[in-house]
Amino acid sequence: MNNIFSKGLLIITLISSLLVFCIFFLIIYLCIDIFTINELKEFFSLTWSIEDKKYGILVPLLGSFIISFLALILGFIFSFSLSSIIFLANSKFIKLFLEKTVLLMATIPTVIYAFSALFIFVPFISYFKPSSTLSILVASVVLSLLLIPTMSLIFLNIFNTLAQKYMKCCLNLSLSKEEFFFSFVIKNSTYHLAQGFLLATTRALGDTMVVLMLAGNALFLPSSIFHSTRSLTSHIALIFANDFESMAFKAIFLCALLLLSSNFILILIIRKIKANTYEI
Amino acid sequence: MKKLLLTIFLSFLTFLNASDLKVFENLEGSLNIAGGTAHIKCEKEAIKNIMSKYPNISISIAGGGSGMGIKQVSSKIIDLANSGRKPTLEEIKNGNLKLFRFAIDGIGVIINPKINIDTLTTKQLQDIFSGKITNFKELGLADAPINLYTRDESSATRKVFWDKALAKSPISNKARVVSSNAAMKTAVSSDINAIGIISLGVVNDSVKLINIDGIAPSVENINNNTYKVARGLYLLSSGEPSKLASAFITYLRSSEGAKIVSKYGFIPVNE
């Protein structure tokens, strides 16, 4: 029975891997024309204007990284704090309440976060800064809400696993729960925390709905977090309806290739970290 | 007596309604429509009428923009495309497209209702959309930044506005881009400094339409050709439409269809 199950899993894994490679090669095939050196240089410029036949994708590329980076920093701070509070809390009620809240946050669809922010957060921001209704700041804050459940649950799992194995031993050595947490848990979970962070990065880079609805999608290089910008995913969503044969259409496959490659590299880094990390 | 007259009138209306829906008799199956977002509201009402009388017919409608609709119907992914512009000759040739215009729609400039302005000149619009005018004080209002909103480059609303209202003058890359007419309405109504463009069929009280060169974007002005920022609303099929698709087109162009079209601020046409 176990053998059949293992073989079934192996077949499913092989099919999934094959599909990913097929997508990868299809994307390369669809943008192959722009891989001549001169053409490629044109695509890595700051100006995107279909009317002027300019297809620079640097703005959405940078937009993706700026929004994701800010969301990750905010998400990491909140997730780390939240999982630490859940771990250290003495009250069972608080523990349970916070854990269930995180689980509930994970089940809310992306579009609900974006819609709620559009009607609550955007008017709030515009009251204080009227020029920055749809901006990097708004998109990053809401995107960080999406990342918090993923990161918090990973962090909490690490803390709990370490506690299960070593807490009794440490408490016997007269360490308090707080001392155990700060001097043992944190120190021994750096690689695992990094894994959680990188996993959240792939989610932040791949999100479409929040950035499409809240980042403003303007195509200029932002110099402040109060400016609008466009991410690679929203760029693909907005430009996709253009002519199949045009360079604009081919350029969005270059965006897809960059997205897929960056996520692929991140997964490789996570694998590498995992290989170098001892089992908790 | 009054009651009797009213009953006769209502029966007459029902009779008319029934006769317009008669084109769907003996038909069944499904019809998929997608594309321009301006069409959706009025087509939804037509679909509701059809499906409540003929439960064996299933009609689905989705957005995506005119460009996407044209592409999908050309690839035969959908049965009918909604388009807010005439397809190019190349698109017609590649997709073997047949065009059915059923309404005329205006494109209007909208602002947040809290902004105290009723009219803009073409020159002011060109300067606002190109990014030369960035503050309301340059228009004689209080000091506040202008938050400019536009549609994506595959949008027919944007193309028609760019062609006819801006005379192809540039649109600033600082303009925020939204992906549908409904999203534009939401964005402008929730931003007190917003200026955007929209299909007149989608407008409600949450946003304020402004006049261009003193001319109101009304059905009358579009009809008598004084308000020029208008376009046809088309249904497109690849090759000859199926029986069901053909019945849907006929219904939208019937007198009952024309009433629905008018109800949403469009001008019905039958050609």
Side-chain angles (χ1 to χ4, degrees):
Chain A
M1 190 66 182
N2 266 350
N3 201 22
I4 295 170
F5 186 69
S6 307
K7 277 188 179 164
L9 275 181
L10 184 71
I11 291 168
I12 291 166
T13 313
L14 284 174
I15 292 171
S16 310
S17 313
L18 190 69
L19 282 174
V20 172
F21 276 107
C22 285
I23 292 170
F24 204 75
F25 286 117
L26 179 75
I27 290 172
I28 293 176
Y29 171 74
L30 286 167
C31 62
I32 199 102
D33 291 355
I34 58 185
F35 274 94
T36 58
I37 290 172
N38 281 340
E39 293 264 13
L40 204 59
K41 215 164 69 183
E42 275 179 37
F43 286 94
F44 286 96
S45 69
L46 290 168
T47 314
W48 175 278
S49 169
I50 293 178
E51 283 120 16
D52 302 327
K53 293 191 169 28
K54 287 181 177 165
Y55 309 109
I57 57 164
L58 266 191
V59 170
L61 185 64
L62 290 169
S64 261
F65 285 114
I66 294 166
I67 295 170
S68 307
F69 182 71
L70 196 59
L72 280 162
I73 300 296
L74 292 170
F76 185 82
I77 293 167
F78 274 99
S79 309
F80 186 77
S81 313
L82 195 62
S83 42
S84 307
I85 291 168
I86 295 172
F87 181 76
L88 291 171
N90 288 323
S91 156
K92 264 192 176 172
F93 172 75
I94 294 176
K95 246 183 206 294
L96 198 70
F97 175 75
L98 290 177
E99 262 182 6
K100 296 290 173 197
T101 307
V102 173
L103 283 171
L104 182 73
M105 280 174 77
T107 60
I108 298 171
T110 321
V111 69
I112 304 292
Y113 279 109
F115 254 119
S116 313
L118 208 54
F119 291 107
I120 301 164
F121 192 39
V122 171
F124 175 76
I125 289 281
S126 76
Y127 181 76
F128 294 101
K129 199 158 170 59
S131 61
S132 50
T133 45
L134 301 179
S135 59
I136 294 170
L137 178 73
V138 174
S140 301
V141 169
V142 180
L143 192 56
S144 73
L145 289 177
L146 289 190
L147 306 180
I148 286 171
T150 314
M151 277 205 264
S152 301
L153 293 173
I154 292 172
F155 294 168
L156 200 60
N157 189 32
I158 297 161
F159 298 163
N160 285 336
T161 315
L162 276 170
Q164 246 177 8
K165 278 197 169 178
Y166 304 106
M167 193 150 79
K168 262 190 188 169
C169 175
C170 288
L171 293 180
N172 285 341
L173 291 169
S174 309
L175 284 176
S176 69
K177 199 177 176 186
E178 286 74 22
E179 281 172 323
F180 165 70
F181 180 71
F182 288 110
S183 54
F184 184 83
V185 175
I186 302 288
K187 209 173 165 185
N188 288 291
S189 57
T190 323
Y191 280 124
H192 296 93
L193 291 175
Q195 270 184 43
F197 185 83
L198 290 174
L199 211 59
T201 310
T202 60
R203 179 146 198 220
L205 281 173
D207 173 80
T208 311
M209 201 53 86
V210 167
V211 283
L212 183 68
M213 288 172 79
L214 300 174
N217 304 310
L219 269 169
F220 75 108
L221 201 61
S223 54
S224 149
I225 56 166
F226 297 109
H227 287 163
S228 297
T229 195
R230 185 182 290 189
S231 73
L232 280 176
T233 48
S234 20
H235 186 67
I236 293 169
L238 287 165
I239 302 300
F240 188 71
N242 268 287
D243 181 8
F244 266 116
E245 297 303 319
S246 70
M247 273 298 172
F249 192 72
K250 283 172 185 164
I252 63 170
F253 280 96
L254 186 60
C255 296
L257 187 65
L258 288 171
L259 256 177
L260 200 62
S261 309
S262 54
N263 277 6
F264 184 69
I265 291 165
L266 282 169
I267 298 291
L268 283 183
I269 296 170
I270 293 169
R271 292 271 165 209
K272 183 80 182 155
I273 289 174
K274 204 173 180 187
N276 292 339
T277 314
Y278 66 90
E279 201 63 41
I280 292 177
Chain B
M1 185 63 184
K2 266 185 187 174
K3 268 188 184 174
L4 182 68
L5 281 174
L6 190 68
T7 314
I8 292 168
F9 179 66
L10 285 174
S11 311
F12 180 66
L13 279 183
T14 317
F15 168 75
L16 275 182
N17 191 3
S19 62
D20 285 342
L21 279 168
K22 247 184 178 170
V23 284
F24 292 96
E25 246 173 32
N26 304 322
L27 291 180
E28 58 179 20
S30 63
L31 185 68
N32 296 315
I33 308 168
T37 55
H39 307 52
I40 291 178
K41 261 189 166 181
C42 88
E43 284 180 5
K44 262 190 176 170
E45 184 160 333
I47 290 168
K48 199 175 125 195
N49 291 349
I50 298 160
M51 284 171 60
S52 54
K53 191 159 170 66
Y54 299 97
N56 288 337
I57 294 173
S58 158
I59 305 175
S60 72
I61 186 164
S66 300
M68 180 70 91
I70 293 170
K71 206 176 289 176
Q72 287 187 335
V73 80
S74 302
S75 319
K76 297 193 187 295
I77 295 169
I78 53 173
D79 305 300
L80 283 175
N82 283 327
S83 177
R85 65 173 169 86
K86 243 186 186 171
T88 61
L89 287 175
E90 204 183 354
E91 283 171 330
I92 293 173
K93 197 180 144 203
N94 289 344
N96 185 24
L97 299 179
K98 304 271 179 236
L99 282 64
F100 305 93
R101 192 168 73 145
F102 69 94
I104 294 171
D105 173 30
I107 310 292
V109 177
I110 48 167
I111 53 173
N112 189 284
K114 286 178 184 158
I115 303 170
N116 187 22
I117 194 166
D118 295 314
T119 189
L120 285 169
T121 63
T122 299
K123 178 79 178 77
Q124 281 172 326
L125 273 181
Q126 286 175 333
D127 288 347
I128 291 168
F129 276 86
S130 66
K132 274 185 200 161
I133 294 179
T134 56
N135 197 300
F136 282 106
K137 74 179 174 195
E138 293 169 73
L139 300 170
L141 298 168
D143 182 9
I146 291 174
N147 295 335
L148 188 63
Y149 290 83
T150 182
R151 291 283 309 280
D152 51 280
E153 281 156 311
S154 60
S155 154
T157 306
R158 174 187 162 123
K159 187 165 187 329
V160 173
F161 183 78
W162 182 64
D163 277 345
K164 296 187 177 175
L166 298 181
K168 298 191 176 179
S169 80
I171 295 176
S172 166
N173 61 2
K174 289 188 178 176
R176 287 153 196 186
V177 180
V178 291
S179 56
S180 70
N181 278 300
M184 178 66 79
K185 196 167 56 179
T186 309
V188 173
S189 62
S190 59
D191 181 350
I192 51 167
N193 297 320
I195 287 186
I197 53 170
I198 200 165
S199 150
L200 295 187
V202 182
V203 173
N204 64 11
D205 291 343
S206 66
V207 291
K208 181 172 152 187
L209 270 170
I210 58 172
N211 305 340
I212 299 177
D213 296 323
I215 301 163
S218 62
V219 170
E220 296 74 39
N221 287 339
I222 295 167
N223 235 345
N224 62 29
N225 211 19
T226 38
Y227 187 82
K228 309 247 185 227
V229 194
R231 42 82 184 266
L233 293 186
Y234 297 88
L235 279 163
L236 312 174
S237 67
S238 179
E240 284 306 322
S242 66
K243 277 182 183 173
L244 194 54
S246 180
F248 184 74
I249 296 162
T250 309
Y251 178 63
L252 268 185
R253 290 167 149 192
S254 69
S255 57
E256 177 63 21
K259 271 184 211 157
I260 297 169
V261 165
S262 306
K263 187 177 157 187
Y264 290 96
F266 304 127
I267 300 161
V269 287
N270 185 356
E271 57 189 51

